[in-house]
């Protein structure tokens, strides 16, 4: 620049010489700035300039410069823009004339406008966009727009540079005026790393100070399918419960593809060859969710391996493996298999006899498949296990067919799963019989009655025994055990029907001969060996009124003359005699009553209905015959009743001769009567002796016991009433002492008489057999020790019979029996 100014000054001097002005000024000077001193340079006086009205003439052009006449200098009138004035033309000068008048003259003047660097390089587009594939090769060049700089010369555009320059560099071709700028790729692009580049191209000029212009270059890196899909995990693991419903999400696999767009769009698929897996599992092509598409069963497969492929649209693929573990659910019941079993077992089987063998299986695993079995019966059976899943059902106790002949044994097996599943099986076991029960009679002993005079073969009654065993072991037969009754085999009395137990009478029984008898019946079953049991049967023969009363006194001797003497002075109620009769029947059948038959008009006598005493009922008068003949009918109380008749001769006289005259046939029978009397007296003496002996013994025993009981029982406590309370005899007999009761019982002929009892409330008549004829007085006198001299041998006892019976038992008099009449 210094140089240039010097050059301009030199030129100015040259021009001055030629009469021509030449200046050089930079553009953009401020208005009023001095361009040059014209007066001095032209050698003109200021006055000349004023007088010549010196002025600048520019012709058509605009006058940017004016002349100040007073100072003789040229001044900048308007701002001068070289670029406007000259564009790119160099050099740029203003040509004008300075005109003077008086005289008219002119001078040429040239003002050169020197460029100032006042314009920066400018790009037309300050923002450009490139789309470059990431696959572009290194060295590929891209043409860029150039910039323009209005300035010229050194101030014009000088160079370009680009930033950052690691990916692209600049390459410039051509000369300065027609420059071609290219951007060259000098490193490979990777969209996956950088998909956008931002570059700045800067153009600088050569001015001082330097000015620059920039252009933004945006490079979009276009994708190229250079990446395959990659799964997040090479191996996925999942588990799923068996029996999970369709559509259950197993797992979601995810693959990524670094590529963009369709190159990065992934499709999932299952690539297993096996159809099974492709049927069971389904993968969502887009999302990678693997879902269940079939029924999954742990017992079929415990694990599945699924190969999954991910592919992008560019055809690149990646793969992973999915391992699905199936979780066991307790979905299988235990299966019970009966390996062997017996249907029947004997009731005498020992404990621990095996009945059945059982195997159990559960296809589930772990605790779902661990099975325990137990039997639901009582303590009679037990399930034992020696080996896992094998069980033996054994008896654990004694069996008894009679208690239970059949068992339904339920074996239940359950696994340990939660909830537990179980199954059960029922075994029916029959218990076979063993002959272990003897027949049992339905009563411990039997008593049966049969009325005497039965027809032989009559069935008396039936014994019955039952046997708890079964079938043949329970078939009972009845056998009559051998024994004898009164020295006769019992089989001649009764027979027992083996099948039915019916007891038949073999003969006709006579109560007067046998009142009861016992025998044994055996019941035996059909087992082997047979079992049996006994029962005692007592047959009681019942009385029938089959015997008429027998008159013992007075004795009826055919044609004999026995008479009772009645003194004529006898009082009313004088006891003439007593008719004594017995009836070998018992009970009512032996209950006798006495009546007079054919009583005379003015009867002198009457007979006691019950005691047979013949007494006078009025005073004897002279009209009464000496010889009286009374017919007494003795009747028993049976149905129908039987009777006997006795004729009693009575002599009504004061002296024996009187009688004799009446009973003339009395004497020649005297020898016979003496003999008879002797025997009767003898018999009466023996009986009386026995009677008195017994009475003494009984009294001693009684007194002894009475004392004992007084000691045992406290003073006033009432003794159990052995005997009826004292009572009055309706017939005027005195009250009977207790002892007498016994005596009468004892005195009774054990073969022919009984203690007899009437209905409740009534009294029973006990008749004693005096077995004598004319010695009544003596009996009575002997009986006087019993404080009852006048008492006839007739006793009433009450219905308190039981003790009487016991007393007799003490004496072993088993045949004495009491019986209710009625
Ligand atoms: C055993 O089961 C059978 C058949 O169900 C039945 O008839 C029988 O009565 C049962 N026995 C017992 C003792 O429960
Ligand atoms: C049955 O009675 C007989 C004799 O009478 C006896 O030997 C036998 O032991 C008795 N049997 C039973 C089971 O009582």
């Amino acid at each position: 620049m210094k140089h240039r100014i010097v050059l301009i000054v030199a030129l100015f001097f040259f021009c001055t010489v030629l009469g021509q002005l030449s200046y050089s000024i930079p553009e953009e000077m401020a208005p009023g700035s001095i361009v040059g001193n014209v007066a001095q340079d032209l050698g003109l006086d200021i006055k000349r300039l004023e007088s010549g009205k010196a002025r600048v003439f520019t012709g058509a052009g605009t006058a940017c410069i004016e002349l100040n006449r007073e100072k003789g200098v040229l001044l900048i009138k308007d701002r001068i823009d070289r670029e406007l004035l000259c564009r790119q033309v160099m050099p740029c000068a203003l040509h004008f004339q300075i005109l003077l008048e008086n005289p008219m003259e002119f001078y040429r003047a040239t003002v050169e406008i020197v460029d100032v660097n006042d314009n920066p390089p400018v790009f037309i587009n300050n923002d450009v966009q490139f789309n470059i594939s990431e696959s572009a090769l290194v060295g590929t060049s891209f043409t860029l727009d150039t910039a323009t700089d209005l300035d010229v010369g050194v101030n014009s555009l000088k160079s370009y540079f680009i930033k950052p320059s690691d990916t692209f560099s600049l390459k410039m071709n051509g000369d300065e005026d027609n420059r071609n700028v290219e951007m060259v790729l000098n490193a490979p692009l990777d969209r996956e790393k950088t998909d956008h580049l931002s570059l700045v191209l800067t153009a600088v000029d050569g001015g001082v100070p330097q000015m620059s212009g920039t252009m933004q270059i945006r490079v979009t890196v276009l994708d190229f399918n250079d990446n395959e899909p990659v799964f997040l995990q090479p191996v996925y693991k999942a588990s799923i419960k068996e029996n999970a419903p369709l559509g259950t999400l197993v797992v979601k696999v995810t693959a990524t593809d670094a590529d963009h767009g369709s190159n990065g769009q992934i499709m999932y698929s299952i690539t297993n060859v096996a159809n099974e897996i492709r049927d069971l599992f389904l993968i969502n092509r887009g999302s990678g969710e693997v879902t269940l598409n079939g029924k999954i069963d742990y017992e079929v497969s415990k694990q599945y391996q699924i190969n999954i492929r991910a592919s992008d649209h560019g055809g690149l693929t990646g793969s992973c493996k999915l391992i699905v573990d199936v979780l066991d659910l307790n979905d299988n019941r235990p299966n019970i298999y009966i390996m062997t079993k017996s249907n029947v077992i004997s009731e005498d089987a020992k404990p621990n006899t095996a009945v059945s063998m059982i195997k159990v299986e559960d296809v589930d695993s772990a605790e779902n498949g661990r099975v325990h079995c137990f039997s639901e019966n009582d303590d009679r059976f037990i399930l034992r296990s020696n080996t896992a899943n094998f069980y033996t059902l054994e008896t654990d106790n004694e069996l008894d067919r009679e208690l239970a002949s059949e068992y339904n044994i339920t074996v239940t097996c359950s696994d340990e799963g939660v909830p537990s599943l179980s199954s059960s099986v029922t075994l029916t076991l029959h218990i076979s019989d063993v002959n272990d029960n003897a027949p049992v009679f339905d009563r411990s002993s039997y008593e049966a009655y049969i009325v005497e005079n039965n027809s032989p073969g009559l069935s008396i009654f039936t014994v019955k025994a039952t046997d708890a065993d079964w079938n043949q072991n329970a078939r009972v037969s009845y056998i009559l055990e051998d024994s004898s009754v009164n020295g006769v085999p019992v089989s001649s009395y009764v027979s027992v029907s083996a099948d039915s137990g019916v007891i038949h009478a073999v003969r006709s029984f006579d109560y007067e001969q046998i009142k009861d008898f016992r025998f044994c019946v055996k019941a035996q079953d059909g087992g082997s060996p047979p079992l049996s049991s006994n029962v005692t049967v007592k047959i009681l023969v019942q009385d029938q009124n089959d015997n008429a009363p027998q008159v013992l006194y007075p004795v009826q001797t055919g044609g004999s003359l026995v008479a009772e003497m009645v003194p004529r002075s006898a009082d009313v109620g004088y006891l003439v005699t007593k008719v004594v009769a017995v009836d070998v029947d018992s009970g009512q059948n032996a209950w006798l009553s006495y009546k007079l038959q054919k009583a005379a008009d003015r009867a002198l006598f009457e007979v006691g209905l019950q005691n047979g005493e013949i007494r006078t009922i009025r005073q004897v008068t002279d009209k009464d015959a000496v010889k009286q003949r009374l017919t007494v009918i003795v009747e028993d109380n049976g149905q129908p009743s039987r009777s006997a008749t006795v004729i009693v001769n009575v002599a009504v006289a004061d002296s024996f001769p009187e009688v004799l005259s009446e009973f003339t046939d009395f004497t020649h029978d005297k020898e016979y009567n003496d003999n008879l009397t002797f025997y009767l007296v003898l018999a009466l003496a023996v009986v009386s002796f026995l009677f008195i002996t017994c009475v003494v013994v009984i009294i001693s025993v009684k007194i002894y016991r009475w004392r004992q009981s007084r000691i045992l029982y406290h003073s006033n406590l009432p003794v159990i009433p052995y005997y009826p309370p004292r009572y009055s005899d309706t017939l005027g007999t005195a009250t009977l002492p207790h002892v007498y009761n016994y005596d009468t019982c004892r005195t009774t002929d054990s073969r022919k008489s009984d203690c007899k009892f009437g209905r409740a409330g009534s009294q029973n008549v006990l008749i004693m057999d005096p077995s004598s004829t004319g010695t009544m007085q003596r009996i009575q006198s002997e009986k006087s020790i019993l404080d009852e001299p006048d008492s006839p041998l007739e006793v009433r006892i009450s219905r308190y019979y039981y003790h009487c019976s016991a007393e007799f038992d003490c004496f072993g008099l088993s045949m004495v029996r009491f019986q209710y009449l009625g």
Side-chain angles (χ1 to χ4, degrees):
M1 190 60 83
K2 203 79 176 162
H3 276 288
R4 218 168 257 199
I5 290 170
V6 169
L7 184 70
I8 290 168
V9 169
L11 191 64
F12 170 72
F13 278 113
F14 176 73
C15 288
T16 328
V17 174
L18 293 176
Q20 189 177 347
L21 288 170
S22 187
Y23 297 103
S24 177
I25 59 163
E27 59 177 330
E28 307 284 351
M29 285 180 74
S33 304
I34 295 170
V35 177
N37 194 335
V38 177
Q40 194 180 10
D41 293 340
L42 288 178
L44 292 173
D45 191 18
I46 301 293
K47 292 168 185 157
R48 171 59 187 138
L49 289 179
E50 280 186 1
S51 62
K53 296 178 188 169
R55 54 182 170 101
V56 172
F57 177 74
T58 58
T62 48
C64 308
I65 292 173
E66 63 179 356
L67 181 66
N68 187 327
R69 281 177 225 159
E70 287 88 37
K71 290 180 181 169
V73 289
L74 285 171
L75 297 173
I76 301 292
K77 188 179 163 200
D78 286 321
R79 191 181 66 89
I80 299 168
D81 185 5
R82 190 206 70 81
E83 284 74 28
L84 200 65
L85 211 58
C86 306
R87 300 192 184 273
Q88 295 292 310
V89 179
M90 276 185 51
C92 175
L94 283 173
H95 298 281
F96 58 91
Q97 292 84 40
I98 298 170
L99 288 177
L100 286 167
E101 292 174 5
N102 303 327
M104 284 182 135
E105 49 184 352
F106 71 95
Y107 301 90
R108 279 196 235 165
T110 304
V111 176
E112 187 191 10
I113 308 298
V114 178
D115 186 36
V116 169
N117 193 19
D118 58 350
N119 285 292
V122 171
F123 289 97
I124 298 164
N125 287 324
N126 54 8
D127 199 347
V128 293
Q129 168 80 35
F130 284 94
N131 290 329
I132 304 171
S133 166
E134 60 177 325
S135 62
L137 297 175
V138 171
T140 310
S141 58
F142 305 89
T143 304
L144 299 175
D145 290 342
T146 53
T148 52
D149 193 333
L150 292 179
D151 292 328
V152 293
V154 289
N155 291 334
S156 71
L157 188 66
K158 190 175 158 208
S159 69
Y160 295 91
F161 46 91
I162 194 163
K163 274 190 182 161
S165 59
D166 50 351
T167 317
F168 289 97
S169 59
L170 285 182
K171 180 179 162 193
M172 277 163 279
N173 305 321
D175 54 7
E176 204 146 312
D177 291 336
N178 198 7
R179 203 173 261 171
N180 190 5
V181 181
E182 287 180 335
M183 186 170 70
V184 181
L185 183 66
N186 55 9
L189 289 175
D190 187 356
R191 191 201 65 79
E192 286 71 39
K193 269 193 207 145
T194 324
D195 57 352
H196 281 96
L197 289 173
S198 189
L199 303 170
V200 177
L201 180 67
T202 308
V204 292
D205 59 18
V208 178
Q210 196 173 45
M211 298 187 82
S212 63
T214 59
M215 179 175 76
Q216 186 81 29
I217 302 172
R218 297 177 198 278
V219 176
T220 301
V221 183
L222 297 181
D223 185 51
F224 182 75
N225 193 22
D226 53 351
N227 287 286
E228 72 267 354
V230 176
F231 282 96
L232 297 184
Q233 292 169 235
V235 175
Y236 285 87
K237 286 198 167 165
S239 57
I240 185 163
K241 289 179 179 170
E242 62 174 330
N243 303 337
L246 296 193
T248 303
L249 177 67
V250 179
V251 78
K252 179 178 176 173
V253 297
T254 308
T256 54
D257 191 315
D259 293 326
H260 180 69
S262 66
N263 291 335
Q265 241 172 40
I266 296 175
M267 273 169 23
Y268 298 95
S269 56
I270 291 175
T271 57
N272 290 59
V273 183
N275 278 338
E276 182 208 20
I277 288 182
R278 291 210 298 231
D279 291 344
L280 272 180
F281 297 98
L282 209 62
I283 192 162
N284 185 306
R285 291 169 66 87
S287 67
E289 286 177 348
V290 178
T291 51
L292 195 61
N293 192 39
K295 187 164 160 26
I296 208 161
D297 188 354
Y298 179 85
E299 284 70 43
V300 172
S301 176
K302 298 175 172 49
Q303 198 185 60
Y304 294 95
Q305 288 203 6
I306 306 171
N307 298 324
I308 297 175
R309 173 195 287 164
S311 42
D312 63 21
H313 285 267
L316 294 183
T317 61
S319 66
C320 75
K321 185 171 278 183
L322 169 59
I323 296 175
V324 179
D325 285 315
V326 181
L327 300 180
D328 187 35
L329 275 186
N330 194 19
D331 61 342
N332 287 286
R333 297 182 177 282
N335 280 325
I336 304 175
Y337 303 101
I338 297 173
M339 297 160 71
T340 165
K341 74 164 188 150
S342 34
N343 291 320
V344 179
I345 184 171
S346 169
E347 64 175 320
D348 63 354
K350 297 261 172 304
N352 296 339
T353 304
V355 173
S356 177
M357 284 168 73
I358 289 170
K359 182 187 181 193
V360 63
E361 279 179 0
D362 192 322
V363 292
D364 291 324
S365 69
E367 59 265 30
N368 292 341
R370 219 173 290 144
V371 181
H372 300 283
C373 296
F374 52 92
S375 75
E376 270 168 23
N377 258 67
D378 48 29
D379 53 351
R380 297 194 187 274
F381 298 94
I382 190 168
L383 210 54
R384 285 189 214 283
S385 175
N386 305 322
T387 325
N389 294 343
F390 287 91
Y391 290 88
T392 318
L393 183 67
E394 295 175 357
T395 59
D396 195 31
N397 227 320
E398 305 274 327
L399 297 173
D400 187 0
R401 191 204 65 82
E402 285 71 42
L403 275 179
S405 65
E406 176 187 79
Y407 287 95
N408 289 334
I409 308 159
T410 303
V411 173
T412 303
C413 297
S414 40
D415 57 31
E416 290 181 9
V418 178
S420 160
L421 293 178
S422 63
S423 42
S424 60
V425 67
T426 299
L427 306 167
T428 300
L429 182 65
H430 297 277
I431 311 296
S432 67
D433 189 44
V434 167
N435 191 24
D436 54 355
N437 285 284
V440 176
F441 282 97
D442 50 11
R443 288 166 63 178
S444 59
S445 66
Y446 292 92
E447 233 177 53
Y449 298 93
I450 183 167
V451 176
E452 61 176 334
N453 305 323
N454 58 289
S455 57
L458 179 79
S459 79
I460 305 174
F461 84 118
T462 306
V463 294
K464 174 109 188 92
T466 48
D467 191 307
D469 290 322
W470 183 74
N471 209 359
Q472 189 66 27
N473 292 338
R475 185 160 300 157
V476 179
S477 37
Y478 303 91
I479 299 157
L480 181 64
E481 290 270 23
D482 259 354
S483 63
S484 61
V485 176
N486 298 344
V488 182
V490 73
S491 54
S492 63
Y493 284 89
V494 288
S495 69
V496 177
S497 159
D499 290 341
S500 60
V502 175
I503 293 176
H504 296 274
V506 171
R507 58 158 73 170
S508 178
F509 294 107
D510 182 2
Y511 177 82
E512 285 70 40
Q513 275 172 24
I514 184 163
K515 294 189 169 48
D516 60 12
F517 61 97
R518 291 161 197 265
F519 57 92
C520 260
V521 174
K522 182 164 90 174
Q524 177 171 301
D525 64 22
S528 168
L531 297 175
S532 64
S533 58
N534 290 345
V535 75
T536 309
V537 181
K538 185 177 181 187
I539 302 284
L540 300 164
V541 181
Q542 282 183 323
D543 189 40
Q544 256 187 348
N545 194 20
D546 57 346
N547 287 288
Q550 285 177 286
V551 178
L552 298 178
Y553 179 87
V555 177
Q556 299 296 292
T557 53
S560 71
L561 194 71
V562 178
E564 306 291 335
M565 292 251 295
V566 177
R568 288 196 171 267
S569 58
D571 289 337
V572 173
Y574 176 86
L575 177 62
V576 179
T577 187
K578 177 176 168 73
V579 176
V580 177
V582 292
D583 192 319
V584 293
D585 292 323
S586 63
Q588 293 234 22
N589 295 336
W591 192 0
L592 302 180
S593 59
Y594 303 85
K595 278 190 279 205
L596 271 181
Q597 197 196 28
K598 283 196 250 163
D601 289 343
R602 289 186 62 244
L604 177 60
F605 306 102
E606 68 158 22
V607 64
L609 181 65
Q610 282 160 13
N611 52 20
E613 286 174 353
I614 299 173
R615 293 173 185 271
T616 57
I617 52 174
R618 60 177 170 83
Q619 284 290 326
V620 179
T621 62
D622 291 342
K623 289 179 196 166
D624 289 320
V626 172
K627 184 181 167 188
Q628 300 263 352
R629 190 183 169 89
L630 305 175
T631 306
V632 178
I633 298 171
V634 185
E635 213 172 30
D636 65 20
N637 199 31
Q639 288 290 338
S641 73
R642 288 166 179 271
S643 62
T645 312
V646 63
I647 296 174
V648 180
N649 293 313
V650 179
V652 182
D654 285 326
S655 62
F656 193 64
E658 195 179 346
V659 177
L660 267 186
S661 63
E662 287 293 324
F663 297 88
T664 48
D665 54 347
F666 182 80
T667 41
H668 57 84
D669 279 339
K670 191 170 182 345
E671 196 175 343
Y672 168 81
N673 278 338
D674 281 347
N675 281 343
L676 185 65
T677 304
F678 172 76
Y679 290 126
L680 285 174
V681 168
L682 189 65
L684 187 60
V686 172
V687 168
S688 302
F689 174 75
L690 287 175
F691 173 79
I692 290 163
T693 311
C694 288
V695 165
V696 169
V697 169
I698 290 170
I699 288 170
S700 327
V701 169
K702 266 335 286 181
I703 290 171
Y704 173 74
R705 287 199 179 174
W706 179 74
R707 281 197 182 148
Q708 290 287 71
S709 67
R710 294 298 282 197
I711 293 164
L712 284 173
Y713 294 99
H714 295 297
S715 56
N716 288 327
L717 280 175
V719 180
I720 295 172
Y722 285 154
Y723 321 112
R726 300 161 73 91
Y727 58 89
S728 304
D729 188 334
T730 50
L731 292 180
T733 52
T735 52
L736 292 170
H738 299 159
V739 178
Y740 192 67
N741 266 348
Y742 293 110
D743 293 345
T744 47
C745 285
R746 170 63 187 96
T747 316
T748 306
D749 184 322
S750 64
R751 218 178 68 74
K752 292 182 178 172
S753 295
D754 279 314
C755 295
K756 303 208 168 33
F757 303 92
R759 297 168 191 282
S762 75
Q763 289 181 325
N764 302 300
V765 177
L766 187 72
I767 298 170
M768 205 163 59
D769 179 14
S771 311
S772 68
T773 54
T775 51
M776 184 64 81
Q777 304 301 324
R778 187 170 168 199
I779 295 168
Q780 286 178 345
S781 70
E782 278 167 355
K783 270 160 38 58
S784 64
I785 53 169
L786 304 175
D787 302 334
E788 199 67 36
D790 295 328
S791 170
L793 297 179
E794 172 185 287
V795 175
R796 292 166 195 278
I797 64 169
S798 82
R799 62 183 174 281
Y800 297 107
Y801 58 86
Y802 42 83
H803 193 78
C804 187
S805 166
E807 286 299 324
F808 286 117
D809 282 353
C810 290
F811 285 90
L813 299 170
S814 61
M815 295 307 275
V816 173
R817 215 158 46 78
F818 294 87
Q819 189 178 357
Y820 277 113
L821 299 174

